[in-house]
Amino acid sequence: MERIPARRSVAVRVARGQRVEVVNTHGQQVVDTWAFATGDPAEWMSMEHSRVHMGRLSPRVGDSLVTNRRRAILTLVEDTSGGVHDTLLAACDRYRYQLLGATEPHDNCTDNLHAALAAEGIALAATPSPLNLFEHTALAADGALAIEPPVATPGSHVTLGAEMDALLVFSACPQDLVPTNGAGLTPTDAHYRLVR
Ligand SMILES: [Zn+2]
């Protein structure tokens, strides 16, 4: 198992046909996930295109997530986490923490994404919306949204299958001001491994 350090990100290259298992090691950690087509980072996994393709708000086992060119890039092939993930919320960023009252610079998933891309020699002007693995965004009948603690249990995981050669970025979300990462407001490590 490779570590996704708490509050930090990792970049992982996958070939078409490979699978990557993302483990919620301690059970309450959201992992913001991005995927970019190898060789053209302007083609990325898109939540708004994926919701159309899937016909639902978040993926179930067997659903494929697609790029902004509507090509399948990842498929959810296994999920022992309870199946609650978010596709609606933007990645956290410095502005989000400022609005929440942070007075010091705060780690955030947006900077984590761009740091991971920079390490791969990629500069991207935009920040695509991530697939927020394990994030529990409760949707009420009247349309109201609320961020609730994850339902995932320690050691549960999802397995993502690559439908094309891709660069993945995982960020162990540093959110500690609202219960994105559990009522304890304590970001933790997560882990991943390439299955084959
Ligand atoms: Zn975050």
Side-chain angles (χ1 to χ4, degrees):
M1 285 283 175
E2 304 290 328
R3 197 162 71 103
I4 309 169
R7 303 174 183 271
R8 294 287 180 265
S9 58
V10 298
V12 184
R13 289 195 177 275
V14 293
R16 181 181 176 192
Q18 277 190 312
R19 293 179 173 189
V20 58
E21 186 177 300
V22 183
V23 181
N24 203 329
T25 314
H26 301 284
Q28 296 282 288
Q29 180 60 46
V30 166
V31 179
D32 287 40
T33 299
W34 288 269
F36 300 86
T38 294
D40 186 0
E43 182 173 11
W44 58 66
M45 180 171 70
S46 164
M47 292 305 100
E48 52 269 45
H49 295 81
S50 293
R51 290 190 296 265
V52 176
H53 179 76
M54 299 184 297
R56 63 177 70 253
L57 283 179
S58 69
R60 293 186 182 176
V61 169
D63 285 340
S64 291
L65 297 122
V66 301
T67 70
N68 49 351
R69 295 174 195 164
R70 302 188 193 266
R71 298 198 301 156
I73 186 165
L74 292 177
T75 296
L76 181 60
V77 295
E78 190 178 34
D79 188 349
T80 70
S81 74
V84 176
H85 310 287
D86 171 77
T87 71
L88 294 174
L89 304 190
C92 65
D93 51 30
R94 65 187 69 185
Y95 313 107
R96 170 82 166 136
Y97 292 103
Q98 287 168 6
L99 288 168
L100 290 170
T103 54
E104 300 291 324
H106 195 291
D107 295 325
N108 63 81
C109 290
T110 297
D111 288 350
N112 284 351
L113 167 66
H114 292 287
L117 291 176
E120 296 288 323
I122 297 168
L124 200 68
T127 301
S129 278
L131 170 60
N132 295 309
L133 290 175
F134 314 115
E135 182 159 22
H136 182 190
T137 303
L139 177 62
D142 68 355
L145 296 174
I147 296 171
E148 303 281 356
V151 304
T153 52
S156 62
H157 70 271
V158 299
T159 304
L160 302 169
E163 301 293 348
M164 66 172 76
D165 295 353
L167 174 66
L168 310 184
V169 176
F170 299 115
S171 173
C173 181
Q175 180 58 264
D176 54 6
L177 301 177
V178 300
T180 303
N181 297 305
L185 305 179
T186 306
T188 60
D189 291 350
H191 289 80
Y192 75 92
R193 68 183 176 117
L194 288 173
V195 179
R196 59 178 170 83

